[in-house]
Each structure stands twice: as structure tokens, then as C-alpha cells.
Amino acid sequence: MALTFKIGTASAAVQIEGDLPRTNWHAWAEKPGSIKDGTSPEPATGHWKRWREDNALMQELHLQIARISLDWTRIEPRRGQWDETAVARYREELIDLKERGIEPLVTLHHFSHPQWFEEMGGFAKEQNISLFIRFVAKILAEFGDLVSDWNTINEPNVFATQSFLYNETPPGGKSWRKALTTMRNFAIAHIRAYKLIHSTLDAPGRTINVSIAHHIRGFTPLNPKNPVHRAFAKIDDYLYNRLIENACYNGNFHPLLGRPPCDIQRGHYCDVVAINYYTRSTVRGLTDGVFPGAPVNDLGWEIYPQGIVECARELHERHRLPIWITENGTADNGSDTELERFRPKYLLDHFAAMAASGLPFERYYHWCFVDNWEWSEGMVPHFGIVHLDPTTLERTPKPSAYMLRDIIDQGKINDDIYQRYVK
């Protein structure tokens, strides 16, 4: 089975770097019970010091692309003060990736921002958007010659709901109003950043791609014959998936988000369909669920490979754009004798569904490269294709890493790969 899309990995600075100035997540981790295993973003995987080692390992595994984030806090640790040493260091890393033949996709906001910005109200206040756009302008001035592919914001729907509805991430709380206001402000920030990136970088002979990384999942009624389950599946889908999608892709703000500012009209504000897909939810109300007896990963999420195609097809039919899977992966903590138990099959099943779909998949970014700090879950769930020793921070590629290398080299999935890697 031939594969036509490029393959790489995705990461976020706070989850891997360590040695960071104070972010919103550093403050959150200090709250008792906020992180399940009591860890913090320090040292994570120690990537800030070991970045050359990680880039070299990516090259050894023949990875073609890498999604990374440039941490706002590191670049602007105090309001209005740029850390030029950090800028130079990030520039060095980007140049190194490109010299190794690995094309970077840069995320500008991946759940993390400076604590000083959080104390000003973060994205729950519209007047703060200008501070983010100022940061974007700085990034373009420093790195625009190196980077053509951009995610403005990662999973704005997840950020807003996990924080302000479920009180599971910073800044925390229980407020529908703040959740909707934050989604609205993220959409405004995305559209303004989209315009700025294109006006700054567009040039003859150069293709600039800008999108959000949209976490999308299918919502399936637990009992399709139950009208309540069917109704809530549609409600959940609209509130979680479509509300932010319509605003970010087309500038179409639902009344729940309020009217957009006068500088934003309906239009075209994404160049690719960029999807973060992990699972689907079974629905009987405004809650997540799993079908009885369905296969699950080590976090209890249903493993449903066909969902990656179902979600991609819906977005493609609405927007008619190329498709990038900007995150997909699974928590597989292995066993006492194995680094992983089911990740290779998980990947092959998702790739097979993508290849058979006929959809224009162009890129696949696996979440993640090295087992990292998984936000409020801490260091416990292992999503990486590379194992991290928690004491020494040494890296050890897992079977899935070598499987991806073989797939990249051969450009296809064959019986030999299945026999070698699937148990």
C-alpha cells in the first residue's frame, strides 16, 4: 500500500525544553493536585540542552518534517523585553533542522504563554490580542526567512474548554462566558496573525501555508436509535468542532461568539486543513464516553482509526484544501519487558485508512518524538516513538521509530513491515 504523504513528529516547547522562564504552566503546576504525578515542565525532556542530539536522531530515523513551537515566554520573558540570546538559539535550531533535510512547521501558541500575560487576563481579554500579534511580528522578523509553514494557534477549542469548563488547565475556572470569549479571541488572533504572516512573507515563487491546528473528533451517539443521544451528538459536534472552525477558517462568527471586530470580514483564513486527531467520543449528553468493549489506549481513549478519515473528509468537503495531520498518536506505556505494545499497529491502521480514503493527505506529524511532559497528566503517559529515561534523560528509539523509518524509505506499507512490527 503506497503512502504519498510526508512523515515526521510534533512537539511543543513547554513539553520538551526545560530551563524555561515562568510560563502559565509553571504557575499551574505549583497548585496542589493540578498535575497528576506532581511533576512540572522542568526538566521535561531537557531538549533545550539536547536539541542537537534530538535533531540528529530525527535525521537518523529519516524523518522528513517536524512541527515545533517557539516559546513566547522564552523570547519575551518580561513584557516588552526580547531575549535575543533565545532568538539566536532558536534560529540555530531551525537552520540545523533544514540542513538535515527536515522541514519545520512552526506553532506560535501551543497552550503556553508568559505568566505576565496570564496575569493580565490572557486570551480571556480582547485587548490582550495585540500583545500576541506583537510577538508574531517579532517571530516573522527573526525567522520568516527560514519558515514557510505556520500554525498560529494549537487547539483553541481544547484550551478554552479544558480551562474554563473542566478546570483542568491554566488559568482554570468554571465559566461558559470565559470559554466562549477565549474561543472568540483566539479566532480574532488567528485571523490577524494569518493576515500578518501573508503580508510579511508572501513573495513570488514562495508558498506560505498558515492554519490553526484544529483538534477535532467524531461525536457518535451511544445508541443511534435514541433521539436524545443523536441530538447531543450534534450539539457536541457543533460546540466543540464547528464553532471555532467556522470563525477561524472563514471569519464566520456565530452569535455565541459575538460579532467580530470591524477589521475582520468573512473570507479565507486557512491554507490547509490541519487536524489533530486522537479518538472519538460516544455521546449520551454533554460528556465524553467510550463504546462498551471498544479497544482503548493507556489513557482509556478509544482507538478508532477510521475516525481520522471521517474527520478529515468533513473538513475537506467544506474547505477543499490539502490535509495535514498535525497530531496523531497514542499513549502506549509498554510493559515490563517491552517499550510499547500496540503503537506500531495503531500507526499502520491509521495509515491504511488514510491511504485508502482517496483524500489529499500531504503530511502526517506523529505526536510525539520523545516521551514528554503531557500537561496535566505529567510524565506518566508515553506518546513518543523514542523512550525517555526519567533519571538520565537518555533517548532510546522504540520499534515504532524504526517502523516509521522503514515506511519512509520504502514509501509504502507491505507485508514485511506488518510481520516485523505488529505482534
Side-chain angles (χ1 to χ4, degrees), residues 4 6 20 23 72 158 161-162 168 213 240 247 262 264 274-275 280 283 322 332 347 352 410 422:
T4 59
K6 294 181 179 180
L20 274 158
T23 71
W72 182 2
V158 175
T161 55
Q162 292 288 70
E168 293 180 352
Y240 191 78
C262 60
I264 293 176
I275 297 173
R280 68 172 171 175
V283 177
D332 178 357
L347 287 168
Q410 297 182 35
V422 176

Side-chain angles (χ1 to χ4, degrees), residues 53-125:
E53 174 187 350
D54 286 342
N55 285 5
L57 184 53
M58 286 184 187
Q59 184 182 24
E60 289 174 19
L61 294 171
H62 303 176
L63 299 180
Q64 301 159 299
I65 49 178
R67 180 181 173 217
I68 68 171
S69 71
L70 304 178
D71 191 79
W72 182 2
T73 306
R74 194 180 292 282
I75 292 172
E76 190 181 9
R78 290 170 294 281
R79 182 180 178 182
Q81 297 183 28
W82 306 112
D83 186 334
E84 300 299 342
T85 301
V87 169
R89 155 64 179 75
Y90 272 133
R91 187 171 178 84
E92 192 177 10
E93 182 173 354
L94 284 166
I95 290 172
D96 184 72
L97 278 172
K98 291 174 74 72
E99 288 177 346
R100 295 178 186 277
I102 303 169
E103 193 63 27
L105 164 63
V106 166
T107 304
L108 296 168
H109 187 277
H110 197 132
F111 288 175
S112 171
H113 48 244
Q115 179 60 18
W116 60 258
F117 180 76
E118 188 71 86
E119 291 169 0
M120 295 176 63
F123 282 97
K125 291 189 176 180

